[in-house]
Amino acid sequence: MAQFNWTYVSDIGKHYNIGLYHGDKTGHIMVYCNSKIVIIDFNVREPKMYPLFLDDELLEIKIDYRDEKFWYTLDINKEADTPRNRERQKQDRKHWRQTLLFFGGLILAVLLFLSVMRHLHPEEESINVPALLAAEGVTTTAKITKIEAKNEGSLISLTFLADGQVEKHQFTYHQAPPIRLDYGLELAVDDEFAISYAKSQPSAFKLQLNHPTEAQTERYFDLTLQKHLQLNPTQSSAFAKCQLDIAFELKGLEGLADFYFQNSTSSDNPFHNEYSYKRLTRGVPFLERLKARCQ
């Protein structure tokens, strides 16, 4: 005899113990609920279904025959037209509307945020700067007009000529002032660098801080020479200039930075300081050229 048991807990927490007996020889079916017989059927030898209402919930006891064996399941019917299912569908529609309203409000909030950001930063709207510069980039000279400290770094203002028109733009740099460039010298107002901009959209640009103009390089040289003479007042201007020429030949702008920051400590400037200056000026290549050209 086949025997199965299920436990059903209603929404109000009431427990129902449901059992089923199915005779092997007779095929008779008996279903009980909490020790009370609720269904009797005879000679059941093929698939069948028995409805069972518990607390307005429609349950279905299903008997299937597969692979020469009977299978028994207890399921809740949520599709039939019952008062409980009508209430369930009503609640589902309510929850679905609430879900739609939530995601609709979320989408509107995101769209509003993006709209505000585009209004505050119109120059950042979907501009593929590298692609524009690759397709129609023009190189010219830009001048730094202002450097302001900001929470996120520095706000740098610059100007350049584009097709005869003066372009004024700003961009955020990741360092706070004073800004030390890759070659060690500091960025200052009136400094000049190469800049690439898109011919059809000059607001798409890239300032090349590692490519100072020839005039800017001369300015770095003059500033370094003044600083070096201030720190070494017994040297002649010609001798000092000869030293800087050698430093520039050996290390480029980084050589000038070693001279400019020769009185800085490593904590003040980890890359260009008293030690880097001494390492350069006491090195064999520097001393050989100094002896040959600056005596």
Side-chain angles (χ1 to χ4, degrees), residues 133-202:
L133 295 180
E136 52 178 272
V138 178
T139 301
T140 187
T141 297
K143 176 177 283 191
I144 305 300
T145 59
K146 194 173 185 180
I147 303 172
E148 300 177 82
K150 296 293 182 181
N151 292 335
E152 63 273 22
S154 301
L155 184 65
I156 299 176
S157 303
L158 56 83
T159 62
F160 60 90
L161 281 177
D163 197 19
Q165 300 294 320
V166 177
E167 294 285 335
K168 298 180 179 180
H169 297 284
Q170 295 178 322
F171 70 97
T172 300
Y173 195 71
H174 59 87
Q175 288 185 30
I179 298 172
R180 287 175 181 161
L181 303 176
D182 290 346
Y183 41 81
L185 295 169
E186 293 181 355
L187 185 68
V189 172
D190 293 332
D191 284 355
E192 295 181 346
F193 301 89
I195 189 172
S196 299
Y197 69 91
K199 190 172 183 180
S200 65
Q201 196 167 354

Side-chain angles (χ1 to χ4, degrees), residues 27-41:
H28 298 342
I29 288 285
M30 183 181 72
V31 177
Y32 66 88
C33 179
N34 289 348
S35 301
K36 180 181 179 182
I37 297 174
V38 292
I39 296 173
I40 295 178
D41 199 4

Side-chain angles (χ1 to χ4, degrees), residues 27 38 97 114 128 165 168 179 191 239 265 271:
V38 292
R97 285 196 298 269
L114 293 176
N128 190 334
Q165 300 294 320
K168 298 180 179 180
I179 298 172
D191 284 355
F239 184 78
T265 64
F271 304 105

Side-chain angles (χ1 to χ4, degrees), residues 1-173:
M1 176 180 290
Q3 180 177 353
F4 281 84
N5 293 278
W6 300 277
T7 298
Y8 167 72
V9 181
S10 70
D11 289 347
I12 61 175
K14 188 174 181 180
H15 285 66
Y16 293 91
N17 296 314
I18 303 167
L20 177 146
Y21 294 99
H22 190 186
D24 294 333
K25 296 181 179 180
T26 64
H28 298 342
I29 288 285
M30 183 181 72
V31 177
Y32 66 88
C33 179
N34 289 348
S35 301
K36 180 181 179 182
I37 297 174
V38 292
I39 296 173
I40 295 178
D41 199 4
F42 303 98
N43 198 26
V44 177
R45 303 188 183 278
E46 59 184 19
K48 207 161 186 181
M49 186 273 291
Y50 300 98
L52 179 64
F53 272 97
L54 297 176
D55 285 348
D56 294 331
E57 188 75 86
L58 175 59
L59 285 77
E60 294 177 342
I61 298 174
K62 296 180 181 179
I63 302 174
D64 292 321
Y65 189 77
R66 301 190 305 272
D67 303 325
E68 299 183 355
K69 183 178 179 181
F70 283 101
W71 299 82
Y72 308 90
T73 58
L74 177 67
D75 297 318
I76 298 175
N77 187 330
K78 296 182 179 181
E79 304 297 329
D81 185 15
T82 65
R84 182 61 180 277
N85 284 341
R86 287 195 292 270
E87 180 63 26
R88 178 180 284 119
Q89 292 167 4
K90 181 179 177 181
Q91 291 297 322
D92 288 344
R93 287 193 295 269
K94 179 181 178 181
H95 293 157
W96 180 244
R97 285 196 298 269
Q98 291 174 342
T99 301
L100 288 177
L101 288 173
F102 172 77
F103 283 105
L106 182 62
I107 292 171
L108 287 175
V110 171
L111 292 175
L112 180 61
F113 173 77
L114 293 176
S115 177
V116 170
M117 292 303 295
R118 283 195 296 269
H119 176 73
L120 293 176
H121 305 284
E123 71 280 2
E124 298 179 4
E125 283 187 29
S126 303
I127 298 177
N128 190 334
V129 175
L132 276 173
L133 295 180
E136 52 178 272
V138 178
T139 301
T140 187
T141 297
K143 176 177 283 191
I144 305 300
T145 59
K146 194 173 185 180
I147 303 172
E148 300 177 82
K150 296 293 182 181
N151 292 335
E152 63 273 22
S154 301
L155 184 65
I156 299 176
S157 303
L158 56 83
T159 62
F160 60 90
L161 281 177
D163 197 19
Q165 300 294 320
V166 177
E167 294 285 335
K168 298 180 179 180
H169 297 284
Q170 295 178 322
F171 70 97
T172 300
Y173 195 71

Side-chain angles (χ1 to χ4, degrees), residues 137-290:
V138 178
T139 301
T140 187
T141 297
K143 176 177 283 191
I144 305 300
T145 59
K146 194 173 185 180
I147 303 172
E148 300 177 82
K150 296 293 182 181
N151 292 335
E152 63 273 22
S154 301
L155 184 65
I156 299 176
S157 303
L158 56 83
T159 62
F160 60 90
L161 281 177
D163 197 19
Q165 300 294 320
V166 177
E167 294 285 335
K168 298 180 179 180
H169 297 284
Q170 295 178 322
F171 70 97
T172 300
Y173 195 71
H174 59 87
Q175 288 185 30
I179 298 172
R180 287 175 181 161
L181 303 176
D182 290 346
Y183 41 81
L185 295 169
E186 293 181 355
L187 185 68
V189 172
D190 293 332
D191 284 355
E192 295 181 346
F193 301 89
I195 189 172
S196 299
Y197 69 91
K199 190 172 183 180
S200 65
Q201 196 167 354
S203 60
F205 64 85
K206 181 178 181 181
L207 182 63
Q208 301 175 29
L209 291 172
N210 286 333
H211 293 85
T213 63
E214 185 176 345
Q216 180 60 36
T217 301
E218 292 177 0
R219 184 183 182 192
Y220 283 146
F221 196 95
D222 291 341
L223 290 172
T224 304
L225 180 60
Q226 293 175 23
K227 181 78 172 290
H228 182 53
L229 289 172
Q230 289 174 2
L231 297 173
N232 302 273
T234 60
Q235 289 187 3
S236 67
S237 178
F239 184 78
K241 185 177 182 303
C242 186
Q243 287 179 302
L244 294 186
D245 285 337
I246 296 172
F248 189 75
E249 290 173 7
L250 292 175
K251 295 183 63 178
L253 292 173
E254 291 189 19
L256 297 184
D258 286 338
F259 269 77
Y260 190 87
F261 293 105
Q262 62 183 272
N263 65 330
S264 297
T265 64
S266 57
S267 58
D268 293 333
N269 190 330
F271 304 105
H272 302 281
N273 47 55
E274 178 185 0
Y275 299 105
S276 67
Y277 167 73
K278 290 179 178 179
R279 188 163 53 247
L280 171 62
T281 57
R282 295 176 182 178
V284 173
F286 187 90
L287 291 175
E288 287 179 346
R289 299 190 189 196
L290 185 71

